[in-house]
Amino acid sequence: MEQIHTIGRRKASIARIYLRQGSGNITVNGKDYKDYFTQKHIQANLVMPFDTVSADNVYDIKINVTGGGFKGQSEAIRMAISRALVELNEDFRKPLKDQKFLRRDARVVERKKYGKPKARKSFQFSKR
C-alpha cells in the first residue's frame, strides 16, 4: 500500500491527510495530535473512525490543517480520515456512514450585513 491522500472540510477548516501503513502515529501540522489538540474530547474526534472500523494502531497519518478553530479542525480531520479508510477498504463505508462521518456539515458562519453590527443583530431602536 502506498500513501493515500484525502481532504476533509468543516466550517472554515480544511484538512489534508496522508495515510500510510505504520504503527499508529498521528501528526498534526508537525506536532503529535495530543500536543496540538489539548482537550480530550477533541482528541477523541480524530480516533473515532479507527474505533468504528477496529483499525487501531495500523496506519500512520500526517495531517495538514488550516483555518477555523480546534473543533472545526478536528471534525474536518475526522472526515478526511473516514474518506481515506473508505478508499482503503470499501467495507468500511457502511459503519462510517452510519456514524455520519462521511457527511459534509455545510453550516458556516453567516456573513455580516451592512447597517448592522453582526449578521442579524440590530442597533438599539428608539421610537422617540
Side-chain angles (χ1 to χ4, degrees):
M1 175 190 115
E2 72 284 348
Q3 188 167 272
I4 293 177
H5 172 251
T6 54
I7 294 176
R9 294 183 182 91
R10 171 73 169 103
K11 291 188 179 179
S13 302
I14 300 171
R16 294 170 188 85
I17 72 150
Y18 303 92
L19 183 130
R20 67 174 68 158
Q21 203 74 31
S23 59
N25 296 328
I26 302 174
T27 59
V28 181
N29 293 346
K31 297 181 183 177
D32 184 54
Y33 81 100
K34 290 182 179 175
D35 295 333
Y36 189 81
F37 296 114
T38 55
Q39 297 171 327
K40 297 279 187 210
H41 67 282
I42 292 180
Q43 291 173 7
N45 269 346
L46 273 64
V47 294
M48 273 183 193
F50 295 115
D51 295 341
T52 304
V53 298
S54 303
D56 296 333
N57 300 330
V58 182
Y59 304 107
D60 284 344
I61 304 173
K62 181 176 172 264
I63 302 166
N64 295 325
V65 64
T66 59
F70 287 128
K71 184 162 179 159
Q73 286 185 351
S74 69
E75 291 179 7
I77 292 168
R78 183 179 68 187
M79 181 185 200
I81 291 171
S82 301
R83 285 179 170 175
L85 289 172
V86 168
E87 196 172 312
L88 193 67
N89 185 350
E90 196 61 37
D91 296 337
F92 293 159
R93 178 178 279 287
K94 176 101 173 80
L96 291 171
K97 196 170 179 184
D98 290 344
Q99 293 287 331
K100 295 189 172 72
F101 292 160
L102 297 172
R103 178 172 291 177
R104 163 77 160 99
D105 193 347
R107 293 177 295 172
V108 293
V109 176
E110 189 175 344
R111 70 171 282 266
K112 181 194 176 300
K113 283 36 165 233
Y114 59 89
K116 295 192 175 244
K118 290 169 64 177
R120 295 184 181 220
K121 184 177 182 181
S122 296
F123 294 110
Q124 184 173 355
F125 177 74
S126 173
K127 196 171 253 185
R128 288 173 197 87

